[in-house]
Amino acid sequence: MADLKDKTTSLTGHLVIKEALARAPRSPGVYLMKDPSGKIIYVGKAKVLRSRLGNYARVEDHPTYYRHKVQTMVSRVAQVEWVVTGSEKEALLLENTLIKRHRPRYNVDLRDDKSYPLLKLGLDHEFPRLSIVRGRAEGDAKYFGPFDKVGAARKTLSLLQRIFPLRRCTDHTLKNRARPCLDYETGRCSAPCVGKIDNADYQGLVDQLKRFFVGQGRDVALELKRRMEEASQGERFEQAAALRDRYFALLRTVEKQRVAGPTGGDQDVWALHEDRGAFRLAILRVRSGRVVSNQVKDLKGALADPEEIMGQALLAFYELNGTPPPLVLLSHMPSDPSLVAEVLSDRAERKVELRKPQRGEKRGLLDLALLNASQPRVETEDKSEKSLLLLEKKLGLDAPPRHMECIDISHLGGRLTVASLVAFKDGKPYKEGYRRYKVLTKDVGGDDYAAMKEVVLRRLSGDRPLPDLLVVDGGKGQLNVALSILQEVPYERRPPLAALAKGRETGPDKVYVPGRKNPVNLAAREPAIFMLMHLRDEAHRFAITYHRLLRLKALKRSILEEIPGVGPKKSRAMLKAFGSLAALKKAEPALIAKKARIDQESARRTSAFLAALDTKPGPE
């Protein structure tokens, strides 16, 4: 029965593609394949859309493993859409953008937890800042790198500051500084914060740095030498000395780059290994003639031929990891190498050459990369996975707690009580699962138990998926309170519980679970206990941050606007109707709704909120 269903689904997918094929234009563009839920599962580009889509109707022309992968994807296709572009280059750029945005299941995905250090020159400020970052962000900026280690990035930043004395401080520090910092005293900053350099001269430094990174360092050195001689002839000896130091520092750097290594400078080496339809990619970085890093990435979901995979990977990798070097050696040339090279050259603002070497030193580097790509990967169990398995065993759970949540309460002297809920997935913060709550229970004051009860009941109501483990902050007392709260929840909506109590000054925290008198036996330096502590501390941080935010907002606007569903209009209406918060607090919800002409639910929330605040009488 299952086989018949799969064949029917696959047939439906083929019919969808054939129907789309009949309407597809004979133009360059990008096509998107979607599953029944509307999720994009594959993005591809085409010189001619109709011809490219026709390939999916001729899968038998491909190798067996590739045919099977295509049929698997086609079986999930419920809709085909396309975007016509003006040229192949536009299609290539749009394909890269859509893959980055939607991360389709069957496209190349090179996103990694580890991002390499980059030098960032932020250009969205009057005085651009030079800093070390990991990964790119929105905004106008130039990125240089990547570096294999942060120490190398810091060393390079220190050297560049001597040659191009740009600021490192934040915008806030720049705005509020009254005197130059130590960087200025040591010649590493031109101190735009106190007007030691005007905008035009500072922009000159920025332009010189950008020219240096695109290979024009020798031209910049000659310019510095000319300015040094002019300053000396004009008897501006202090300026001439500063330019002299910058000139010789830059000259030493340029000379070192020119003579280093027999392989002739910077290049990246890409090797793609194929094994029964699964691809593995090795990337060697060669800087100044030395191999400085080696990355190997599994591309298990990628559905394309090696040439197309290589093209997608090149664009994705250099968008995440900085500017490509002048030469990139490849085991497989992209299906449209001139277009890919043109896009990479545009990003680098200089020529980027793609080459498949056949002999010599460069072929030796490619063979080394191929050797790395072909090595069997040893599957090492992640520390997080080990910790989750240990928690399952030690806490008596039915499965590893892959989805954990922790609730924390925060208030100020019993006022403005709020709560945070933090979620972890597979041992790591899951920001999409974070929630903030305003506690509306009357007369809760500083009663954390009452606040906890309200928040737990609100969290467990509805149809949201339950956590595999709900953690509360505290010892056996808090655990018993949480257990009593769960008695009011339907049995099928009760998640497993654990309480995390602070340990002694020199010892780890202690974990308590229901039905056990003593804490769970977890070693002092066991990663599992640190995972739970991280979860608890993150919940505390999130609650405190929310509480501070509310207090800050309360200083800027009416406190009534903190009530869910109450904005400036309703707030003004209630204060106008009753004259003060004290009078409003004494009114019943029905009277509030009638006099202020607002809905009953907002009136009820207002009454509960003001009762919780215990507002003193008096005008606002």
Side-chain angles (χ1 to χ4, degrees):
M1 188 69 181
D3 291 341
L4 179 60
K5 182 178 179 181
D6 289 344
K7 290 178 181 178
T8 303
T9 307
S10 179
L11 180 61
T12 303
H14 277 290
L15 289 175
V16 169
I17 292 176
K18 286 183 177 180
E19 192 275 335
L21 181 61
R23 297 181 291 107
R26 298 183 183 277
S27 308
V30 173
Y31 59 94
L32 301 88
M33 295 188 174
K34 298 182 177 181
D35 65 11
S37 68
K39 184 177 180 181
I40 297 173
I41 58 175
Y42 187 77
V43 174
K45 62 170 173 49
K47 182 185 297 185
V48 180
L49 282 166
R50 181 175 294 186
S51 300
R52 185 68 182 90
L53 288 173
N55 289 343
Y56 293 97
R58 299 188 297 274
V59 182
E60 62 276 1
D61 296 340
H62 296 277
T64 304
Y65 71 82
Y66 183 76
R67 186 188 317 156
H68 176 71
K69 290 179 71 174
V70 172
Q71 288 172 341
T72 301
M73 183 193 74
V74 168
S75 71
R76 293 178 168 86
V77 175
Q79 186 179 359
V80 179
E81 297 177 356
W82 53 78
V83 179
V84 175
T85 59
S87 66
E88 294 177 57
K89 183 178 179 181
E90 289 180 13
L92 182 69
L93 293 171
L94 180 58
E95 178 196 40
N96 180 55
T97 299
L98 293 175
I99 291 174
K100 180 178 65 174
R101 180 184 303 167
H102 298 288
R103 301 184 66 190
R105 176 175 180 177
Y106 294 103
N107 283 104
V108 172
D109 185 3
L110 287 180
R111 297 221 305 193
D112 200 343
D113 290 337
K114 181 178 181 181
S115 55
Y116 286 84
L118 300 165
L119 287 182
K120 175 184 176 181
L121 179 62
L123 299 174
D124 50 359
H125 193 279
E126 181 182 8
F127 297 105
R129 177 192 179 202
L130 189 61
S131 59
I132 298 174
V133 297
R134 288 185 181 271
R136 298 185 172 208
E138 296 294 331
D140 187 13
K142 293 288 185 184
Y143 294 89
F144 312 108
F147 299 87
D148 58 323
K149 296 179 181 178
V150 72
R154 288 177 180 147
K155 186 177 180 180
T156 302
L157 177 61
S158 178
L159 172 64
L160 290 176
Q161 279 188 283
R162 292 186 179 277
I163 306 171
F164 311 102
L166 302 178
R167 70 179 178 101
R168 287 191 306 164
C169 59
T170 63
D171 293 347
H172 177 77
T173 302
L174 176 75
K175 183 179 179 181
N176 294 282
R177 187 173 289 282
R179 54 182 297 181
C181 65
L182 188 60
D183 276 354
Y184 173 75
E185 302 297 338
T186 57
R188 296 171 181 268
C189 181
S190 49
C193 53
V194 292
K196 295 290 185 180
I197 186 173
D198 60 26
N199 180 264
D201 289 340
Y202 195 91
Q203 289 300 323
L205 291 175
V206 173
D207 292 339
Q208 289 174 358
L209 177 60
K210 290 194 288 187
R211 289 165 58 196
F212 170 79
F213 272 110
V214 295
Q216 300 177 14
R218 188 165 285 277
D219 294 338
V220 175
L222 292 175
E223 181 182 323
L224 290 177
K225 183 179 181 181
R226 177 184 57 78
R227 292 177 55 197
M228 174 186 70
E229 292 172 348
E230 289 177 354
S232 178
Q233 291 171 4
E235 298 185 358
R236 300 188 303 275
F237 299 116
E238 185 175 349
Q239 181 185 359
L243 289 168
R244 177 202 61 201
D245 293 342
R246 291 176 56 198
Y247 166 70
F248 282 113
L250 179 55
L251 198 62
R252 286 193 298 269
T253 303
V254 172
E255 288 297 322
K256 186 182 297 184
Q257 288 178 339
R258 187 172 65 86
V259 302
T263 55
D266 298 348
Q267 53 199 309
D268 284 351
V269 188
W270 289 57
L272 191 62
H273 175 72
E274 180 183 332
D275 183 15
R276 295 188 299 274
F279 293 95
R280 188 176 300 128
L281 177 67
I283 305 172
L284 297 182
R285 284 198 180 98
V286 181
R287 298 295 180 264
S288 299
R290 295 182 300 111
V291 177
V292 297
S293 71
N294 173 37
Q295 294 174 259
V296 180
K297 296 176 177 290
D298 285 310
L299 309 177
K300 297 178 180 178
L303 176 62
D305 54 40
E307 291 75 18
E308 189 171 347
I309 288 176
M310 185 66 82
Q312 291 182 2
L314 283 166
L315 295 181
F317 180 83
Y318 287 119
E319 186 158 4
L320 293 170
N321 296 282
T323 307
L327 177 62
V328 181
L329 307 178
L330 306 172
S331 63
H332 298 76
M333 293 295 283
S335 53
D336 40 15
S338 59
L339 283 178
V340 174
E342 184 180 349
V343 172
L344 295 179
S345 298
D346 290 344
R347 291 180 181 174
E349 297 182 349
R350 54 167 163 71
K351 183 179 179 181
V352 175
E353 181 185 358
L354 305 181
R355 190 191 305 174
K356 183 178 180 180
Q358 302 298 326
R359 61 185 66 85
E361 294 176 355
K362 291 179 173 53
R363 180 65 204 190
L365 284 172
L366 182 58
D367 289 339
L368 177 61
L370 283 167
L371 181 63
N372 279 275
S374 63
Q375 294 300 308
R377 301 295 300 276
V378 179
E379 298 295 335
T380 56
E381 193 174 30
D382 186 78
K383 287 184 179 180
S384 296
E385 183 67 19
K386 288 184 178 180
S387 296
L388 294 175
L389 292 172
L390 182 63
L391 289 176
E392 175 192 7
K393 177 181 178 181
K394 293 288 187 178
L395 304 186
L397 305 175
D398 295 331
R402 303 192 181 281
H403 180 185
M404 297 187 290
E405 293 181 356
C406 182
I407 295 173
D408 189 68
I409 307 295
S410 179
H411 58 81
L412 182 64
R415 298 185 180 185
L416 201 60
T417 304
V418 299
S420 71
L421 182 143
V422 161
F424 271 30
K425 270 196 172 181
D426 295 322
K428 298 175 182 177
Y430 176 62
K431 297 297 179 68
E432 289 85 346
Y434 283 27
R435 295 291 185 275
R436 289 166 168 170
Y437 297 90
K438 293 174 183 175
V439 178
L440 303 177
T441 304
K442 288 186 176 181
D443 303 322
V444 67
D447 188 352
D448 286 357
Y449 293 160
M452 178 69 73
K453 179 177 180 179
E454 176 190 326
V455 174
V456 169
L457 294 178
R458 286 169 64 181
R459 164 60 185 95
L460 299 180
S461 63
D463 298 325
R464 280 183 61 196
L466 294 174
D468 300 321
L469 179 67
L470 181 61
V471 178
V472 296
D473 184 17
K476 294 192 66 177
Q478 284 81 356
L479 180 64
N480 291 331
V481 169
L483 280 171
S484 66
I485 295 172
L486 290 189
Q487 298 305 312
E488 302 182 28
V489 178
Y491 182 80
E492 64 275 7
R493 295 290 297 173
R494 299 177 190 175
L497 276 177
L500 188 63
K502 285 283 188 183
R504 295 183 178 180
E505 189 170 336
T506 58
D509 288 6
K510 299 184 181 299
V511 184
Y512 292 90
V513 294
R516 179 170 178 155
K517 179 179 179 181
N518 297 320
V520 174
N521 183 24
L522 283 171
R525 301 188 65 82
E526 178 61 54
I529 190 67
F530 292 118
M531 180 183 292
L532 293 178
M533 292 167 63
H534 185 192
L535 175 67
R536 188 266 321 281
D537 293 344
E538 178 68 359
H540 183 65
R541 179 201 66 79
F542 197 50
I544 292 295
T545 302
Y546 185 40
H547 199 272
R548 287 173 180 166
L549 176 64
L550 292 186
R551 295 205 309 268
L552 180 62
K553 287 183 177 179
L555 296 174
K556 298 181 179 179
R557 63 178 185 174
S558 170
I559 194 67
L560 296 177
E561 294 178 35
E562 303 302 332
I563 304 170
V566 175
K569 187 175 180 180
K570 289 181 181 178
S571 173
R572 287 194 299 268
M574 288 187 285
L575 289 174
K576 183 177 180 180
F578 290 91
S580 69
L581 287 178
L584 185 61
K585 177 188 175 185
K586 295 176 182 178
E588 294 294 325
L591 182 60
I592 295 175
K594 181 179 179 181
K595 289 189 67 175
R597 296 182 179 180
I598 64 174
D599 58 280
Q600 292 285 348
E601 180 60 21
S602 295
R604 185 193 65 76
R605 289 179 176 177
T606 300
S607 180
F609 184 76
L610 291 177
L613 281 179
D614 191 25
T615 309
K616 295 181 179 180
E620 184 178 63

